[in-house]
């Protein structure tokens, strides 16, 4: 099923309404859809490098708006929609233990999920369920998703198709390492005695 969704999404990249398709995929990926918009964003930028920043912006706006839909699902429709989505992605059983810590670290959770391979839709729904401050949620989403999509756009704009394999296979790992280093740096700063 995932493969057919992937193929369907890739076929959209060449369509004359690809920009709208990109917006739609970015929006629904943030709340329920399993395929990330990157797989549509990448071939679109390769095909039209001069539109790289426009496509990254479309992806960002769609993703943030879709994230707000995910937030709404968690806030208003958790039992009927949110819980089944979390079960689909295998996160329902971890939810209760995660919920206690979520609002303390919610902005970081949104930011980390926004740029790493972690399913962003899980975080958008959890943000709504735990009633994370919507302003904090939106700002963290803009920063994370903006960083992710504009870095991808910049890499493809600069290096073209050569970078495609790296992005599709390893960019998630690079972003994950970046987050680990970033959090490790903040932890180290807290541990250093202030005189």
């Amino acid at each position: 099923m995932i493969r057919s969704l992937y193929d369907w999404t890739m076929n959209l990249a060449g369509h004359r309404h690809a920009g709208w398709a990109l917006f739609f995929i970015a929006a629904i990926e943030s709340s329920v859809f399993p395929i990330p918009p990157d797989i549509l964003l990448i071939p679109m930028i390769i095909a039209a490098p001069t539109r790289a920043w426009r496509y990254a912006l479309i992806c960002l706006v769609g993703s943030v708006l879709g994230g707000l839909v995910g937030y709404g699902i968690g806030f208003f429709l958790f039992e009927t929609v949110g819980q089944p989505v979390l079960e689909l992605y295998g996160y329902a059983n971890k939810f209760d233990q995660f919920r206690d810590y979520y609002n303390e670290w919610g902005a970081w959770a949104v930011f980390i999920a926004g740029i790493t391979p972690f399913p962003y839709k899980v975080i958008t729904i959890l943000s709504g369920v735990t009633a994370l401050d919507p302003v904090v949620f939106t700002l963290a989403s803009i920063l994370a998703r903006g960083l992710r999509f504009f870095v991808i756009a910049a890499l493809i704009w600069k290096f073209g198709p050569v970078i495609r394999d790296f992005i599709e296979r390893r960019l998630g790992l690079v972003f994950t390492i970046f987050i680990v280093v970033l959090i490790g740096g903040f932890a180290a700063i807290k541990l250093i005695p202030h005189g």
Side-chain angles (χ1 to χ4, degrees):
M1 182 179 115
I2 298 294
R3 184 66 203 184
S4 61
L5 282 173
Y6 178 87
D7 292 339
W8 174 78
T9 307
M10 286 299 285
N11 287 333
L12 288 175
H15 196 273
R16 65 185 178 102
H17 296 297
W20 286 107
L22 179 62
F23 177 85
F24 179 71
I25 296 295
I28 63 170
E29 183 272 336
S30 295
S31 52
V32 294
F33 194 61
I35 307 294
D38 312 64
I39 65 155
L40 187 57
L41 177 66
I42 292 166
M44 287 175 64
I45 295 173
I46 289 171
T50 58
R51 296 183 185 167
W53 314 120
R54 178 176 173 232
Y55 290 149
L57 183 61
I58 288 170
C59 232
L60 170 62
V61 173
S63 185
V64 171
L65 292 176
L68 290 169
V69 170
Y71 185 99
I73 288 171
F75 193 82
F76 297 109
L77 303 169
F78 182 70
E79 298 297 323
T80 57
V81 179
Q83 185 76 28
V85 170
L86 292 181
E87 288 171 4
L88 177 68
Y89 293 101
Y91 288 94
N93 59 346
K94 300 173 187 164
F95 176 65
D96 288 332
Q97 62 189 14
F98 187 65
R99 185 180 201 164
D100 296 334
Y101 303 104
Y102 191 76
N103 272 351
E104 182 179 349
W105 298 99
W108 281 108
V110 173
F111 184 80
I112 290 167
I115 63 171
T116 64
F118 186 85
Y120 185 58
K121 63 207 65 47
V122 172
I123 292 298
T124 66
I125 292 169
L126 292 177
S127 295
V129 171
T130 60
L132 178 68
D133 183 332
V135 174
V136 169
F137 171 78
T138 303
L139 289 175
S141 293
I142 291 169
L143 290 173
R145 297 311 253 185
L147 178 63
R148 176 174 172 157
F149 299 136
F150 278 91
V151 164
I152 288 171
L155 288 172
I156 296 172
W157 178 78
K158 177 75 174 166
F159 300 107
V162 175
I163 199 77
R164 179 180 179 168
D165 182 61
F166 172 80
I167 289 172
E168 289 181 346
R169 295 176 186 262
R170 296 180 186 87
L171 193 60
L173 175 64
V174 171
F175 276 134
T176 302
I177 291 169
F178 168 75
I179 290 299
V180 168
V181 170
L182 184 67
I183 291 173
F186 280 116
I189 290 170
K190 285 189 171 187
L191 294 174
I192 295 173
H194 300 290

